[in-house]
Every structure is written in C-alpha cells, then in structure tokens.
Amino acid sequence: MALFKYLEPDRVDVVEHLRIRFAPANGFNDPFECLPDSHLVENSRWQRQNEDDCVREILAADAVQSAIHRRPCHWTEERIRQDHRERYAMRVPELKNLAMEALISARSHLRILCLSQVPPESSEAFLIWGHYTQNHQGIVIEFEPENIWIEGHEPVWGQPHDSGPVSYSKNRPGWDADETGLPRPSRDLVFTKSEHWRYEKEFRLLRFAGTSGLDTRVVDSLVPFPPLALRTITFGVNASHSVKERIFTTCARPELRHVRIREAQIHPDNYELTVLDATSAR
C-alpha cells in the first residue's frame, strides 16, 4: 500500500524541514468532517440519563423544595418526569441542532493527516492533482508505508494515535454504546466520508491536540517525520524551476539521497500522465 500527499508549490517546505501538518478536523473543506448523525437525542438510554439529570437538578432547587412542602401532591417526582418527557418530545428538533453544535465544537481536538492511496501517474489522480497542487504546480510526496513513523500510528491501547483507510458512505456515521449502554461516537466518525470523496481513496493518520510531538510554534500541529519515511517526490507538469531546484537542493542532503525524484509529463496522445525520473531542475 503506497501513501501519497499532494501538495501546493509553497509546501515544498514539508520536504525541506521534514515536518508536515496534522490539520484540525474543523478546518477541512468538508463541513461534514468527523460529524456523526444526531440520533443521539433519540436514543432511549440517553433520554433516560438526560431525564434523570434534569429531574435531579429540579428537585434540588430551593424554590422547588419550597413548593413541594406547600403542595406535595402537585410536585411529585413522577409528575416532574412526565412534564420533562412531554417537553423533551416537543424539543427534539431543537435538541438535534444543539447536539450538532456540541459535536462541531468537540471535533476541534482532532488532528488529522490526510493521505491518498492514488499514485500520481494514475488516471484516478487527475482530480486530486487539480484540487490539491494548484493547477499541477505542486508536488506529490510518497511515504514509505512500512516506516516506523507510519506504523507508529497504528492503534495502541492508551496511546492517542490511530490510523486507517477512509470508508465512503451515503449515510453519516452513527453511535456505539459504552460499557453502560449509553451512546458514544463510533470510531467510524473519523474514518467515514461522503461517497462524493471516493476518488481520493484516503488514508488517515490521527493524533489529538495537546499530545506530544505536535509543534505549534509556526502553525497549528506540525509533526516531524524521519527522512527514511520519504520514498519518492513527483513534480507536477506545471512545477516551476524554483520548486524543482529547491527539491533537488534539499534531496542532495545526505539523509535524503535515497529519495527518488520524478516528474509528471503530459502524454502526447491520451488523457494520461507519464511519470519519469527527473534528472535536473530544468
């Protein structure tokens, strides 16, 4: 499994500094990113938990306690619960919107590196080149999937790392249950996107805000990677001499001499890109 990152021309600095950004989930160009559906508010266990919490707060209020002493038959726990259920049923649409607001806020702690399994010479890469490399002026870097830096994102109990391919679906991800049966977001919410994005064949590395290894001095969540994690670099067909020169200069460093430098060229007859070894920054 090859893993590629399509980059705009000004992101040559990823190779120069061997650091790449794990972007906040709430900053992606997909507004549905990492958002499960709002069926949470219709879950019977969650409703019961919400009811218990609300009733407990109401019964603890001084004003309610005074009312109970004055007219105990009108302030029974069962009547309070019944009133809560009736009001809850009427508020479901509102509660769904509130749930979405809370989920949008909660996803801000996620940091994700989005890679593609589509190689730059593939016809499937046309849209990716166009969307992410600024009209083919950028580069594609290939990561070594068996490098310890990639494998280090495999799920490990107690560690805030994870990785996996993205699944594409017509439906938003839903909810799992915790040990008490209450709903919790499923792991799929980070690894599921609308089927409109299927052409990207995405693979993700995941971290969390505040964990070690996230450098925030320049931009949010830069993560260093080892030189041996790089396998190839491919220039877009419109890459400038400046971009090529910077890459050749950088890869002349001893730790990067193993990196194969390539360039995409337009096929003379077909709707195809041909990728060949690049020998100079011409």
Side-chain angles (χ1 to χ4, degrees):
M1 175 190 64
L3 297 174
F4 302 91
K5 184 65 175 178
Y6 290 73
L7 297 168
E8 294 186 353
D10 59 354
R11 292 277 66 84
V12 170
D13 62 345
V14 169
V15 180
E16 292 173 328
H17 303 299
L18 297 176
R19 296 188 306 173
I20 195 164
R21 190 184 187 208
F22 281 57
N26 58 354
F28 286 9
N29 57 5
D30 180 1
F32 299 99
E33 193 64 63
C34 299
L35 283 182
D37 58 40
S38 63
H39 292 318
L40 163 74
V41 302
E42 298 168 310
N43 177 274
S44 59
R45 282 185 176 270
W46 193 89
Q47 287 185 25
R48 179 67 186 197
Q49 183 69 60
N50 180 269
E51 178 183 316
D52 290 344
D53 293 342
C54 289
V55 170
R56 189 181 303 111
E57 291 181 13
I58 291 172
L59 290 174
D62 292 339
V64 173
Q65 286 296 316
S66 298
I68 290 174
H69 287 301
R70 291 196 305 271
R71 304 183 67 184
C73 62
H74 291 279
W75 285 91
T76 65
E77 179 177 334
E78 185 53 40
R79 291 191 67 166
I80 294 173
R81 287 187 178 277
Q82 182 62 35
D83 182 65
H84 172 84
R85 291 170 193 156
E86 292 173 357
R87 292 175 181 272
Y88 189 98
M90 292 186 293
R91 293 185 62 212
V92 166
E94 174 192 354
L95 292 171
K96 280 178 168 283
N97 289 331
L98 291 173
M100 278 297 99
E101 291 177 8
L103 290 166
I104 289 171
S105 176
R107 71 181 177 178
S108 63
H109 75 289
L110 292 170
R111 298 293 182 270
I112 301 171
L113 174 60
C114 303
L115 304 173
S116 174
Q117 298 177 72
V118 181
E121 63 269 28
S122 169
S123 60
E124 296 178 296
F126 288 174
L127 287 177
I128 308 177
W129 273 109
H131 291 165
Y132 297 106
T133 66
Q134 196 174 315
N135 188 28
H136 295 255
Q137 297 179 79
I139 62 173
V140 181
I141 61 176
E142 180 184 2
F143 287 102
E144 173 57 65
E146 296 181 358
N147 185 270
I148 190 172
W149 186 76
I150 298 290
E151 293 184 337
H153 287 84
E154 287 297 315
V156 177
W157 180 257
Q159 297 296 317
H161 295 168
D162 203 347
S163 65
V166 169
S167 298
Y168 300 93
S169 173
K170 292 181 179 180
N171 303 313
R172 297 256 290 278
W175 299 79
D176 291 332
D178 64 15
E179 60 277 2
T180 69
L182 287 170
R184 64 181 177 190
S186 69
R187 178 182 179 274
D188 291 343
L189 79 91
V190 183
F191 297 99
T192 303
K193 289 175 68 72
S194 165
E195 60 181 9
H196 298 91
W197 301 92
R198 187 182 299 276
Y199 70 93
E200 293 186 345
K201 292 186 178 179
E202 189 176 333
F203 187 94
R204 293 185 159 182
L205 306 184
L206 173 67
R207 296 194 178 194
F208 293 92
T211 56
S212 61
L214 297 180
D215 187 348
T216 60
R217 290 173 295 179
V218 179
V219 67
D220 187 11
S221 305
L222 286 175
V223 176
F225 57 88
L228 289 176
L230 282 182
R231 178 188 279 177
T232 68
I233 299 171
T234 304
F235 300 126
V237 296
N238 295 323
S240 67
H241 174 79
S242 173
V243 164
K244 294 179 178 181
E245 188 172 46
R246 288 172 65 183
I247 289 296
F248 272 103
T249 299
T250 301
C251 290
R253 292 169 7 201
E255 70 272 23
L256 290 174
R257 286 178 181 165
H258 66 281
V259 177
R260 184 182 175 191
I261 303 175
R262 311 186 303 168
E263 60 182 347
Q265 296 180 358
I266 296 174
H267 192 281
D269 301 310
N270 305 328
Y271 286 114
E272 296 177 16
L273 293 176
T274 303
V275 173
L276 305 172
D277 287 337
T279 57
S280 66
R282 53 186 171 85

